[in-house]
Amino acid sequence: MDINRIPLEIRILGVLMEKQMTTPDYYPMSLNALILGCNQKSNRDPVMELSETEVLDALQQLRNDHLVWQVRTAGSRVSKYEHNLKEVAEFSIQETAVLCELMLRGPQTLGELRARCARMFEFHGTAEVEHIIGKLMDPQRGIFVKELPRQPGRKEPRFAHLLGDSDPAEELLLTAADESTDTSYPEPSGKSRVAPGREQTERLNDIEQRITGLETMVGRIGELEKRITALENEFVAFKRQFE
């Protein structure tokens, strides 16, 4: 099945896949939640600012192609949406995690994919990620991922999904060429204005992701402290019965 999608539709599918794997209790997604997920500032490249009309139009096209379903959940009056990628292929959890990251954040190395997929599936090494990439590049089943040419100064190749409407390899080479020829001059005020490149954006995204992970860890530690305190109180009360 031809699933050549525009970037907006790719973003919607990626957000639905992400939500299903990271917070299944909140899946399927309402329209408002889907818009917020599409316009999220972290774990997204590029960052988008989509309107409700744009998302609705893209959802309608995805529904027409049977890639998204509109559903009603028990106890809710709001329509919700879920993806139907099984219409394309029966992806495993590992394959879905890799595809999802590529759809949400663009071309990445094996190491980047291993680290960023951890919130959806914990890979035990880059070799395992490479194995999954190989399965997604199997011509007999369908080629969903492509290896890109190495960028100047980079040792590891990157991989991109092939679900979009443009050639990711060509786009990446153009981006690299633009960055290598970029010249920035001081403005009259004396301040330099340099447009952030892909690497800088990725660093910021990585920092935001780490902060989110730390916040989650702090929350879990707080819950553990509460449980420990409750157990201590119960033990003290139990001990007093024998004093």
Side-chain angles (χ1 to χ4, degrees), residues 27 45-46 82 120 125-126 193 214:
Y27 181 83
D45 187 13
E82 63 182 13
M120 293 178 283
T126 55
R193 179 168 59 87
L214 288 173

Side-chain angles (χ1 to χ4, degrees), residues 208-220:
E208 290 181 357
Q209 187 173 1
R210 291 176 184 177
I211 292 174
T212 301
L214 288 173
E215 290 174 345
T216 302
M217 186 178 297
V218 169
R220 291 176 179 174

Side-chain angles (χ1 to χ4, degrees), residues 14 16 20 34 63 74 107 116 118 172 187 189 201 203 212 215 226 243:
L16 290 172
Q20 182 186 33
L34 188 54
R63 291 175 63 195
R116 294 167 179 173
L172 188 62
E187 295 184 349
S189 62
T201 301
R203 291 193 190 101
T212 301
E215 290 174 345
K226 291 179 181 179
E243 292 178 351

Side-chain angles (χ1 to χ4, degrees), residues 22-90:
T22 58
T23 53
D25 290 342
Y26 298 96
Y27 181 83
M29 300 182 70
S30 67
L31 176 61
N32 287 338
L34 188 54
I35 294 173
L36 290 174
C38 288
N39 293 336
Q40 187 175 310
K41 302 301 181 184
S42 61
N43 302 324
R44 303 288 186 268
D45 187 13
V47 173
M48 296 182 175
E49 294 184 4
L50 304 176
S51 66
E52 180 176 325
T53 300
E54 290 174 317
V55 174
L56 280 173
D57 288 345
L59 280 171
Q60 186 58 53
Q61 183 59 51
L62 289 167
R63 291 175 63 195
N64 292 341
D65 294 338
H66 307 293
L67 291 174
V68 166
W69 297 126
Q70 184 178 14
V71 298
R72 291 274 189 177
T73 56
S76 175
R77 298 180 180 179
V78 178
S79 295
K80 296 188 176 183
Y81 300 90
E82 63 182 13
H83 72 81
N84 183 39
L85 277 185
K86 63 182 179 181
E87 178 79 9
V88 178
E90 290 290 342

Side-chain angles (χ1 to χ4, degrees), residues 99-129:
L99 270 179
C100 180
E101 275 300 323
L102 293 177
M103 292 165 72
L104 291 177
R105 300 185 66 159
Q108 299 169 62
T109 65
L110 295 175
E112 289 171 334
L113 283 169
R114 180 196 174 191
R116 294 167 179 173
C117 283
R119 58 202 175 98
M120 293 178 283
F121 182 86
E122 189 74 33
F123 287 101
H124 298 297
T126 55
E128 187 177 358
V129 181

